[in-house]
Amino acid sequence: MSGKSLLLKVILLGDGGVGKSSLMNRYVTDRFDAQSFHTIGVEFLNRDLEVDGRLVTLQIWDTAGQERFKSLRTPFYRGADCCLLTFAVDDLHSFQNLASWKKEFMCYSDVRNPERFPFVVLGNKVDKEEGKEVGEDEARAWCEENGCCPYFETSAKDDTNVGVAFEAAVREVLAAEDQIDHTLLSSTIDLHGNRKVPCSSCC
Ligand SMILES: Nc1nc2c(ncn2[C@@H]2O[C@H](COP(=O)(O)OP(=O)(O)OP(=O)(O)O)[C@@H](O)[C@H]2O)c(=O)[nH]1
C-alpha cells in the first residue's frame, strides 16, 4: 500500500432538494438532518479512505441545485475527477433533468476526454418507498444509454448505499487513472478561466 494519499475531487450535481448535501454529510460526518437548508453556491468536505490498497483523500463538492445559483456553482466544475449526478426517486422531474445536469457539467468543466470521464448516478431517498416515481430498471436504462454507470439507489436518511456509492466513484476514477492528472487541484480557482471547448449551444 502506498503511503501517499491521492487527492480526488468529486462533485455532486442535481436538482435542488434531491439530497446532495445530505449525502455528503452522511458520508463525511455520519449525520442526517431532516431540516437542512438549500446550499448557496458550493461547499466541500474531505474524507480519507482506502480503496483497493490505495489511500485516497476524497474531496466532495456539494453544489446548489437551484437554477438561480448556477453562476455560483459552475466555476467549481473545473478539476473534477468524477461527477455524481443525483436525483430523488420520489421526484420524476429531478430524474428527467439528469441529462441537462450532465450537459451543464460538460460545458463548464475542463474534461479532456469526454468519452471516458467517470459519472456515477445516485437515485436518492429510496427510503420513501410509497412515493417512488422512478424505478430502478428505468434509472439503469438511462445510465446505460447515457454512459453514466454505475447507478446506486441511496438513502442519506437510512445510510443505504452511501459509502458504497462514494467508493464506487473512487474506483471509477482509479480505473481511468492514466487519463487524469490528479495533481491539478490548485489552491485558487480562476472564475474567469477560459474553457477548453467553447460552448455556445448549451449553457
Ligand atoms: N426521506 C429522505 N429525505 C432526504 C434524504 N436525503 C435528503 N433528504 C431531505 O431532503 C431535503 C433536501 O435535502 P438537501 O440535502 O438539502 O438537498 P440538496 O440536493 O442539497 O438541495 P440544494 O442545496 O437546494 O441543492 C432535506 O429536508 C433532507 O432532510 C433521504 O435519503 N431520504
Side-chain angles (χ1 to χ4, degrees):
M1 184 176 67
S2 161
K4 203 172 172 194
S5 187
L6 203 59
L7 180 62
L8 300 184
K9 174 179 177 177
V10 300
I11 190 154
L12 285 155
L13 297 187
D15 283 7
V18 297
K20 299 178 298 297
S21 306
S22 302
L23 287 161
M24 177 177 76
N25 288 324
R26 168 60 80 188
Y27 185 58
V28 178
T29 67
D30 199 21
R31 290 200 194 115
F32 175 77
D33 185 355
Q35 308 290 329
S36 66
F37 296 99
H38 285 295
T39 306
I40 298 169
V42 296
E43 292 171 359
F44 77 86
L45 291 175
N46 286 352
R47 177 170 163 174
D48 295 328
L49 69 157
E50 190 187 320
V51 175
D52 302 335
R54 302 283 296 271
L55 289 178
V56 172
T57 298
L58 194 58
Q59 189 170 77
I60 303 167
W61 289 69
D62 168 34
T63 60
Q66 292 184 305
E67 178 58 26
R68 63 195 163 119
F69 296 129
K70 180 175 175 180
S71 63
L72 295 180
R73 67 177 176 255
T74 51
F76 296 90
Y77 295 1
R78 297 169 70 86
D81 294 303
C82 181
C83 177
L84 291 100
L85 296 172
T86 309
F87 69 97
V89 297
D90 67 335
D91 178 0
L92 179 61
H93 194 61
S94 69
F95 174 66
Q96 292 167 336
N97 281 339
L98 286 183
S100 64
W101 282 108
K102 184 182 179 195
K103 200 169 173 183
E104 183 178 295
F105 176 77
M106 295 311 286
C107 188
Y108 288 94
S109 65
D110 52 357
V111 169
R112 293 183 214 158
N113 191 343
E115 299 302 315
R116 300 184 68 119
F117 187 82
F119 287 91
V120 173
V121 180
L122 308 180
N124 192 41
K125 305 196 186 182
V126 72
D127 57 280
K128 288 177 137 184
E129 268 302 324
E130 281 181 15
K132 202 170 179 186
E133 293 183 353
V134 184
E136 190 168 355
D137 290 348
E138 186 183 2
R140 285 195 191 284
W142 186 90
C143 294
E144 290 285 340
E145 278 164 29
N146 291 275
C148 296
C149 296
Y151 172 65
F152 295 96
E153 287 195 330
T154 60
S155 168
K157 183 181 177 192
D158 291 355
D159 198 10
T160 303
N161 280 336
V162 178
V164 173
F166 281 107
E167 282 161 30
V170 171
R171 286 199 175 87
E172 291 294 314
V173 177
L174 294 178
E177 197 178 19
D178 51 342
Q179 306 293 320
I180 298 162
D181 177 359
H182 296 298
T183 60
L184 273 180
L185 280 179
S186 60
S187 55
T188 57
I189 290 168
D190 177 7
L191 295 176
H192 307 288
N194 296 319
R195 292 195 296 265
K196 276 192 168 172
V197 182
C199 183
S200 56
S201 58
C202 63
C203 308

